[in-house]
Amino acid sequence: MQFRAPFGRKGREQITKKDTFASPTRSETLISETEEFCAHNYAPKHVVVAEGEGARVRDADGREYYDMLSAYSALNFGHRHPEIVAVAKAQLDRVTLTSRAFYNDKLGEFCKSLCALTGKEMVLPMNTGAEAVETALKTARRWGAFVKGVPEGRQRVICCENNFHGRTISIVSMSTDETARKGFSPFTEGFDIIPYGDASALENAIGEDTAAFLFEPIQGEAGIIIPPDGYLKAVREICSRKGILMIADEVQTGFARTGYMFACDAEGVRPDIYVLGKALGGGIMPVSAVCADKDVLGVYEPGSHGSTFGGNPLACAVALKAMEIAVRDDYPAMARRKGERLLAALKGIKNGDIREVRGRGLLIGVEFSVSAAPYVAKLISCGVLAKETHEHTIRFAPPVNISEEELDDAIKRMTAALSE
Ligand SMILES: *Cc1c(COP(=O)(O)O)cnc(C)c1O
């Protein structure tokens, strides 16, 4: 597929209206089919993506858009990065799946590279972000019982208000979002919830049964909430002094999104456990992992945890290439440079409905004093894909390798859509 640069077609219009006299567009037909047969656990914008390349996608009717959401930061390397696609194709011709009943010739190298990148000694590979968070929780409970000496059944994990860590029963058990919880009880026990960004609340919440503190270095889903300066350092100091594990959920912030390889790098801090996913899969495969030292991940013995697909050779090959590219091409510097441009441009937009523009690297939120949905519709009609998170904030997180020209063009379109 070759995209004409930039945007060969006119007449981009969001497909929301139904014209009873015209026959339905291809997009409309596909939306109806999806709505009929797919559970309604999402409310997607009415764009049917049919092709993608780099920072751009094309819909089922040929309209082109810049992808400013990047699958919630799973597409830091853009759509179909040619080198990652090449590695995936080569691996498809060798072996794709072995299970962990046997070794495979990619898993060791994948774990070694991820250790080098995180500065940790061991990796436990999984597939989705939620599975990695579950793994971190199980690790924290075992570490609490086996290493710290908390009586089994009493281990507790502290987490934050407005967190987002995924969708499993245990994860929604620590959610404070009623929509994510309603009807799903009984919940998993053992969580304490504190305000985000408040180090003294953490200090006060730690008891003798506390095993860990799980948090996002920047809260993405909550609306790009950046904690006060010094928070990450303070969390590190408190966790070390009190003898609990610091668990950073970097599923969304990891792999250069915030202008650092990991968002904790902004304050030069290393958590005890990194929870990683999304961009680790290079935009091709679900790949997630928990990274920690041997005194932490050493709590597992054969049979105590696992995943049929976790650590499969296709996933490992793709993730290895993604990590190599992130380091080789200095993705953190790319995100920092382009992020500064995008942030300045968004801050320059004149519109009384905009309450605040904030961000770090290429993770930027524009908060409105009114519902953001009409502005999202305008963005889409201007050829920019984005989505509001909760009601008031639009998240902008383009692929880190978006070209400078594409970013300029996207900024023009965003300015047109968001100005008064
Ligand atoms: C997306 C996300 C998850 C969950 O990842 P899935 O792959 O959707 O299960 C967990 N934590 C954070 C911070 C996320 O952004």
Side-chain angles (χ1 to χ4, degrees):
M1 177 186 58
Q2 279 284 287
F3 280 113
R4 291 172 305 274
F7 292 100
R9 281 170 190 252
K10 286 203 201 109
R12 204 176 298 100
E13 214 179 286
Q14 204 192 351
I15 305 137
T16 44
K17 333 181 196 71
K18 271 264 185 323
D19 183 341
T20 41
F21 297 105
S23 56
T25 63
R26 193 164 143 67
S27 293
E28 285 169 337
T29 305
L30 292 164
I31 288 169
S32 313
E33 180 184 67
T34 308
E35 287 304 314
E36 180 168 358
F37 295 107
C38 185
H40 297 174
N41 55 327
Y42 282 90
K45 298 296 167 190
H46 283 208
V47 174
V48 181
V49 175
E51 293 170 89
E53 183 177 275
R56 299 193 203 179
V57 299
R58 186 181 287 161
D59 76 9
D61 291 293
R63 285 169 290 234
E64 291 174 9
Y65 306 85
Y66 289 114
D67 186 349
M68 288 284 154
L69 180 64
S70 302
Y72 301 98
S73 294
L75 288 163
N76 290 5
F77 302 90
H79 292 268
R80 300 189 304 115
H81 190 293
E83 288 174 85
I84 305 177
V85 167
V87 155
K89 284 182 175 169
Q91 193 61 42
L92 284 173
D93 286 333
R94 288 163 46 83
V95 66
T96 53
L97 199 55
T98 55
S99 86
R100 295 288 305 281
F102 311 101
Y103 293 88
N104 73 63
D105 68 353
K106 290 284 175 289
L107 178 58
E109 193 187 349
F110 162 74
C111 293
K112 187 177 174 186
S113 285
L114 192 49
C115 283
L117 201 62
T118 55
K120 294 296 176 193
E121 294 169 352
M122 272 187 161
V123 168
L124 201 162
M126 299 295 282
N127 311 283
T128 66
E131 286 176 323
V133 170
E134 287 278 347
T135 301
L137 293 173
K138 288 175 82 172
T139 306
R141 285 184 170 190
R142 271 218 163 176
W143 180 87
F146 294 179
V147 179
K148 182 170 171 168
V150 178
E152 164 111 37
R154 299 238 309 255
Q155 312 95 307
R156 303 194 69 81
V157 173
I158 299 172
C159 43
C160 292
E161 282 171 4
N162 303 317
N163 68 70
F164 182 82
H165 297 293
R167 299 295 196 172
T168 65
I169 295 262
S170 286
I171 293 171
V172 300
S173 297
M174 59 186 167
S175 175
T176 56
D177 175 357
E178 252 329 288
T179 312
R181 289 167 55 89
K182 200 171 45 203
F184 298 131
S185 62
F187 294 118
T188 304
E189 295 172 45
F191 300 113
D192 298 304
I193 293 166
I194 61 170
Y196 183 68
D198 182 345
S200 57
L202 172 62
E203 173 113 39
N204 295 332
I206 297 171
E208 55 184 17
D209 295 337
T210 305
F213 175 51
L214 168 67
F215 75 108
E216 301 153 86
I218 293 176
Q219 286 189 327
E221 290 308 301
I224 321 300
I225 309 299
I226 302 168
D229 283 348
Y231 180 65
L232 302 175
K233 272 203 168 109
V235 167
R236 177 66 279 175
E237 188 277 320
I238 292 165
C239 290
S240 298
R241 177 162 45 80
K242 297 270 196 172
I244 68 166
L245 297 175
M246 173 179 178
I247 307 177
D249 179 348
E250 295 242 20
V251 170
Q252 187 163 155
T253 52
F255 300 99
R257 173 53 57 194
T258 69
Y260 299 88
M261 192 57 80
F262 302 106
C264 286
D265 297 350
E267 293 189 14
V269 158
R270 284 248 171 90
D272 298 299
I273 298 182
Y274 284 100
V275 184
L276 302 171
K278 291 201 167 109
L280 179 57
I284 294 189
M285 293 281 293
V287 186
S288 71
V290 160
C291 310
D293 282 342
K294 288 182 175 157
D295 57 345
V296 176
L297 276 177
V299 298
Y300 290 103
E301 75 283 358
S304 57
H305 188 49
S307 161
T308 303
F309 288 90
N312 72 74
L314 182 57
C316 290
V318 158
L320 267 166
K321 184 50 83 176
M323 286 189 272
E324 181 196 319
I325 293 168
V327 172
R328 182 196 68 198
D329 296 348
D330 200 351
Y331 268 51
M334 280 162 62
R336 217 171 307 147
R337 200 172 60 240
K338 293 170 197 171
E340 274 167 24
R341 263 213 2 250
L342 181 54
L343 188 67
L346 290 168
K347 281 187 168 165
I349 291 175
K350 303 239 173 323
N351 185 337
D353 287 345
I354 294 177
R355 188 184 284 158
E356 192 184 28
V357 179
R358 55 179 176 263
R360 187 165 286 165
L362 279 173
L363 185 58
I364 297 175
V366 177
E367 186 180 329
F368 291 82
S369 53
V370 296
S371 166
Y375 284 104
V376 170
K378 274 196 197 169
L379 284 163
I380 292 173
S381 70
C382 290
V384 173
L385 292 191
K387 195 171 195 295
E388 69 274 21
T389 177
H390 292 110
E391 217 201 311
H392 294 288
T393 304
I394 305 179
R395 163 180 21 208
F396 292 109
V400 174
N401 60 352
I402 185 172
S403 75
E404 306 277 345
E405 303 79 64
E406 288 172 325
L407 184 61
D408 279 342
D409 189 30
I411 285 172
K412 266 188 221 137
R413 291 162 187 277
M414 292 156 82
T415 306
L418 301 182
S419 292
E420 253 158 345

